[in-house]
Amino acid sequence: MELLHSGKVRDVYADGDDLILVASDRISIYDVVLPTPIPDKGKLLTALSLWWFEQLADLVPNHVVSATDVPAEFAGRAVRCRRLEMLPVECVARGYLTGGGLKEYQRTGAVSGVELPRGLVEASILPEPIFTPSTKAPVGEHDEPITFAEVVDKVGAETAERLRRITIDVYRRGAELAADRGILVADTKLELGWAPDGTLMLGDELLTSDSSRFWPAESYQPGRAQFSYDKQYVRDWAVESGWDKQAPAPEVPAEVVEATRARYVDVYEKLTGNRWD
């Protein structure tokens, strides 16, 4: 195999006509890879992505060829995938107002050019899910929000409309399935690309704790920060530490690592109904 790319979390290898996508235990926040891994994170992300790809297979095709036909050293954390020509857009859907979307709303009253009602607060549920795309930044640089018009400039009007529709449809279906299991999906990020036969497919990961914000429905209360089953806990630690969000990042304390892993495991078990060994 040939290593083609090493990203913030995943490494991509070429293996004949296929790609081998390997999820590491690395964790990135604010587009910086932290020096401290989260044990089992790569396997948890892989297992959860595969579960979601299966749940949503009737909605949109995906890049998965096999979860088992992978090199033994990567077993459990790798997927054999179709080669896709990935589109230069991070496709983000938001059903609740938080994170960077909240900050942009507080400045402008809109998110990625989508005007929102006045008076919304932290964790407010939106009238309907919105498409808030961003750029794809290289490692060490920051993704930047863009408007739908800018997506049109990048990929054309027809493809841009398909990206928006697929992103919202995936979010709605994922949020509905998660809600049945007591989990709110505040937002999620998708990546899509063209297969050689011209099919538009989901790639990378899907509705994981790295690409989504998951909140427990039972304790949801707008107007404050929510308990989060994702890497928001690490983001909060980083802010409190005084780190300037620029590389190099500081080591993550053992108790933060342990608590973060527990959240990844907990949401995996709640969503899939499977016990993590």
Side-chain angles (χ1 to χ4, degrees):
M1 295 194 308
E2 175 190 359
L3 178 63
L4 297 181
H5 175 70
S6 186
K8 298 167 191 170
V9 174
R10 286 168 176 77
D11 299 322
V12 183
Y13 294 85
D15 187 23
D17 291 334
D18 299 330
L19 297 179
I20 305 295
L21 191 65
V22 182
S24 73
D25 291 340
R26 298 189 295 269
I27 187 167
S28 72
I29 55 172
Y30 305 114
D31 297 304
V32 177
V33 178
L34 303 184
T36 315
I38 307 297
D40 286 337
K41 176 174 172 283
K43 291 184 176 181
L44 283 157
L45 294 180
T46 300
L48 188 53
S49 278
L50 288 167
W51 186 83
W52 279 115
F53 280 131
E54 184 176 346
Q55 302 304 309
L56 278 69
D58 65 312
L59 189 64
V60 56
N62 61 71
H63 68 166
V64 176
V65 173
S66 173
T68 55
D69 183 15
V70 298
E73 64 266 33
F74 298 143
R77 63 174 65 246
V79 179
R80 180 175 294 274
C81 305
R82 296 174 179 84
R83 290 177 182 254
L84 303 181
E85 181 185 344
M86 301 305 293
L87 290 163
V89 178
E90 301 276 11
C91 295
V92 180
R94 300 178 187 271
Y96 296 79
L97 191 60
T98 191
L102 174 63
K103 293 177 182 177
E104 186 179 351
Y105 167 78
Q106 290 171 334
R107 292 194 310 268
T108 68
V111 182
S112 293
V114 180
E115 294 290 334
L116 295 174
R118 297 179 63 181
L120 300 181
V121 297
E122 167 72 51
S124 285
I125 188 169
L126 301 177
E128 60 182 7
I130 58 174
F131 180 59
T132 60
S134 68
T135 60
K136 279 187 180 179
V139 174
E141 298 183 21
H142 299 291
D143 296 338
E144 297 293 341
I146 55 177
T147 64
F148 182 73
E150 290 173 298
V151 178
V152 171
D153 289 342
K154 286 178 176 290
V155 301
E158 181 180 351
T159 299
E161 185 55 49
R162 290 183 68 185
L163 293 180
R164 178 164 62 182
R165 185 180 69 253
I166 290 170
T167 302
I168 296 300
D169 286 349
V170 166
Y171 173 81
R172 287 186 190 276
R173 175 78 71 83
E176 180 181 322
L177 287 169
D180 289 341
R181 295 156 173 81
I183 303 294
L184 302 179
V185 183
D187 51 44
T188 197
K189 177 182 70 177
L190 311 177
E191 294 197 37
L192 293 106
W194 297 109
D197 66 359
T199 302
L200 187 58
M201 289 185 170
L202 289 171
D204 197 51
E205 61 185 320
L206 182 62
L207 285 159
T208 72
S209 304
D210 266 18
S211 65
S212 316
R213 286 185 174 90
F214 295 129
W215 300 336
E218 63 184 7
S219 62
Y220 168 69
Q221 183 180 340
R224 61 168 176 80
Q226 311 298 305
F227 179 93
S228 195
Y229 289 112
D230 47 63
K231 62 183 180 180
Q232 187 60 43
Y233 185 70
V234 183
R235 292 190 191 100
D236 293 342
W237 161 79
V239 170
E240 292 170 5
S241 75
W243 175 50
D244 64 2
K245 304 180 184 178
Q246 301 298 317
E251 292 283 346
V252 183
E255 62 272 18
V256 176
V257 170
E258 183 178 350
T260 302
R261 180 186 181 279
R263 293 176 188 224
Y264 278 71
V265 170
D266 198 13
V267 78
Y268 168 82
E269 293 184 340
K270 283 181 165 62
L271 287 170
T272 67
N274 300 325
R275 182 164 179 79
W276 184 259
D277 295 326

